[in-house]
Amino acid sequence: MSLLDVSRWQFVITVMFHMTFPAITVGLSILLSVLYGMYWKTRRAVYLQMFRFWRRVFAVGFAIGVVAGIVITFEMGLNWGVYAAKTGPIIGPIIGMEVVTAFFVEAGFIGVLLYGDGRVRHATMFASSVMVSLGTILSSTWIIAANSWMQTPAGFVVRNGQFEPTDWVDAIFNRSFVWRWPHMVLAVLISAAFFVAGVGAYYLVKGRALAFARRSVSIALGVAAMLVPVQVFVGDHTAGAVLPYQLSKLEALEGNWAEGNTGFILFVIPDQQAQRNVAELNIPCLGSAINKDLTCETAVPGLELTPKADRPDMAAVFWGFRVMFLAALLMFGTVFYATILRFRRRLWTSRRFHRFLLWTTPVGILAILGGWATAETGRQPWVVFGQLRTAAAVSHLAPGEVVFSVVGFSLLYLVMLVAYVAYIIHTVRIGPDQVDPDERHPVLDPVPVAGLAGGRTN
C-alpha cells in the first residue's frame, strides 16, 4: 500500500467518524429549539421533558463531533500539505468563515443551552437554543461550500501553482453548491428525524414514557414525511448539477464497463484491473425507464468511456450510491406507511410497525455516509476535479509514521464510537425525567438560583 493510499484511508476514517455526529446533532439542535419554544408557549411539561432528554444526547454528540472536526483541519495541513498550499487562497478563507460565523456562535451559546435551564429566563434559553442551531447550519453551509468548490471549481485562476479567487460569488455559489447545500441540510434533518423516531419507538415497544414517546415519534415522522419527498426532488437536481460535469462518476455508479446496457444493476462485484464485472444482478429496461425512456432503448454509459487514468474506483462509487439510494427508498416507504397509519388512527397501536421503526434508527446516518462515499470516491482521481490530482496533493511523509497514525486514530475512534453508542443506549434505558407529562405542571423548572435572571423566570 502506497503513501497515497494510507493517507487517503486516514482521511476516510477521520471524516466518516466525524460525519456520524453532525448527522444527528444538526437536526437535534433544531429540534431542541422547537421543543423549548413549544414548552415556553404552552407550559406543557412533556415538551420540557423532551427537551432535557434530547439535550443530553445532543451534548455528547456535539462535543465529540467538534473534536473530530478539528482533527480533519490538522490532517489537511499535515497529510495533505501540497493540497493546503495550492488551494489555501480559496479553501482557507471559506474554512475561516466557518470558524468565525459558526463555531464562535455555537461556542458562545452552547453553555447557556446546556446549563441555563432553570437559571436564566425562558427567552434567554430559547434564544440560546436558536443560536446554537443557527451555528450548526452555518457550519454545514461553509463546509459544503468548500467541498462543492472541489467538486465543481469556479471563480479562480491558477497563478504560481496556487488557486487564487477571481470571483468569490462564483467560487462559493458554484454550480453544485446551490443544490448540494439544501441536499445536505435535508439529509441531516431527515437523519435526526429517524433517530428520534427510532428511540421513541423503543419506548412504545416497551410501554414506557408513552406521552414522551408518542410526541417524539409524531414530530419526527411528521417532519420526515414532509422532507423526504422534497429530498427526492433535491437529490435528483443535485445529481443533475454534478454528474454532467463528472461523467466518470455517473459511469461508475451505474456499474457498467461497456456502453449498451439498458437495465439497472442492483448488485455488482467489479474487477477494476480487468475492467469487467465478476458478478452482477441486472434488472432489464429499468435503467432506461429511470432515464425517462419507457421504450427500453436508452442505454446507460459505461466506465470504459473514461480514460483508465481518470477512472474512479467503481466498487466504492457503486456501493456508496446503492447504500444512499436504497436507504432513501426505505425511508420513503416508512414515512408513506406511517402517514397511512396516522390517517387510520393506528399509529400508536401498530406494534409491528413500532418494532420495524426501531430498526430504522440509523438508516439516515447510513444514507449520509453512502452519499459522502459516492461524492468523494466518484471525484477521484482528482482532489479538485479536473484541476489537481489526488496523487499530486499528498504530503511527502515517512510511510511508517502515517501507518502508525492510521492505526492509532482507528483504535481511538473505535473506542470513542463504542463509548458514544454505549452512552446512547444507557441514556435510552434510563429514559426521560421521571415526571408524568400528563400532570398539569405549569412549570417544571427548579426555583432559580438567587441573583440569576433577576430571581424569576418568564
Side-chain angles (χ1 to χ4, degrees), residues 25-39 47-59 62 110 113-114 125-126 128-130 132-133 196:
T25 56
V26 175
L28 283 184
S29 67
I30 297 175
L31 174 66
L32 291 176
S33 301
V34 172
L35 291 176
Y36 200 86
M38 295 175 71
Y39 163 67
Y47 294 123
L48 185 60
Q49 183 188 46
M50 294 171 66
F51 172 82
R52 288 175 174 171
F53 177 86
W54 292 114
R55 181 179 58 182
R56 297 203 300 268
V57 177
F58 165 81
F62 179 84
I110 189 69
L113 173 64
L114 298 182
M125 277 293 297
F126 177 69
S128 298
S129 63
V130 170
V132 170
S133 62
V196 171

Side-chain angles (χ1 to χ4, degrees), residues 64-120:
I64 299 176
V66 169
V67 173
I70 293 174
V71 173
I72 294 174
T73 305
F74 279 99
E75 283 189 12
M76 286 184 178
L78 296 174
N79 293 68
W80 302 94
V82 180
Y83 160 82
K86 290 181 177 293
T87 65
I90 291 180
I91 299 297
I94 293 177
I95 299 300
M97 288 300 296
E98 191 259 342
V99 174
V100 172
T101 64
F103 185 75
F104 284 177
V105 171
E106 295 168 338
F109 291 92
I110 189 69
V112 179
L113 173 64
L114 298 182
Y115 304 110
D117 188 13
R119 294 180 173 87
V120 300

Side-chain angles (χ1 to χ4, degrees), residues 318-342:
F318 179 90
W319 285 111
F321 177 76
R322 292 307 182 279
V323 168
M324 178 185 67
F325 179 72
L326 295 176
L329 291 180
L330 176 61
M331 290 186 287
F332 184 87
T334 301
V335 297
F336 183 79
Y337 185 65
T339 303
I340 294 175
L341 291 177
R342 191 190 295 268

